[in-house]
Amino acid sequence: MCTCSQMRIPWSREEDQKLRNLVEQQGSKLNWSSVSKLMRNRSGKQCRERWRHNLDPTIKREPWSEEENQKLLRTYDELGSKWADIARQLPGRTDNACVTNRLPFRAGFAG
């Protein structure tokens, strides 16, 4: 079992590729705990977060459109800081991208 929670070790290209392969192999039966057992020194949470925030091919990487910015602000006003719920309203954008990369620009944002 890995004790990786004590240290933050940058992901290597080889680890990223291995994670992509494991996700592809498991398909709809994806289990992060079993994936982590095949990844050296990575927890299930680390694997899930790496996939969801960096490697998932459905993540939009192009600049945010004005429409997306406006939808983010409207949805934040409606839901507050429920980032996962907000991200579900913006296909291809992660909750992390919403909170860290977009909303802090808003004047008076208190997070």
Side-chain angles (χ1 to χ4, degrees):
M1 191 72 186
C2 130
T3 58
C4 16
S5 60
Q6 291 95 7
M7 293 178 37
R8 289 189 161 223
I9 300 168
W11 284 75
S12 69
R13 289 181 184 168
E14 293 79 16
E15 285 178 304
D16 282 348
Q17 190 55 53
K18 184 173 184 176
L19 183 57
R20 283 185 190 99
N21 293 341
L22 290 168
V23 168
E24 185 178 324
Q25 288 170 7
Q26 288 200 11
S28 64
K29 297 182 193 282
L30 186 59
N31 178 303
W32 293 113
S33 181
S34 64
V35 167
S36 72
K37 290 175 184 170
L38 300 169
M39 296 290 296
R40 186 176 185 151
N41 297 322
R42 297 295 180 182
S43 69
K45 181 178 179 180
Q46 286 175 313
C47 292
R48 182 186 73 239
E49 294 300 308
R50 182 68 175 172
W51 178 258
R52 289 182 62 213
H53 295 292
N54 300 98
L55 301 177
D56 184 344
T58 65
I59 295 172
K60 283 186 177 180
R61 302 201 186 280
E62 63 270 5
W64 285 60
S65 68
E66 184 57 32
E67 181 181 322
E68 286 176 312
N69 283 329
Q70 292 305 315
K71 188 168 189 173
L72 172 63
L73 293 173
R74 283 193 312 273
T75 308
Y76 177 81
D77 287 341
E78 292 170 16
L79 300 177
S81 59
K82 296 180 180 177
W83 301 113
D85 293 339
I86 291 170
R88 283 195 265 296
Q89 302 299 314
L90 295 156
R93 302 298 186 181
T94 66
D95 52 346
N96 194 48
C98 291
V99 66
T100 355
N101 300 333
R102 301 307 307 162
L103 207 50
F105 76 87
R106 185 177 185 184
F109 175 67

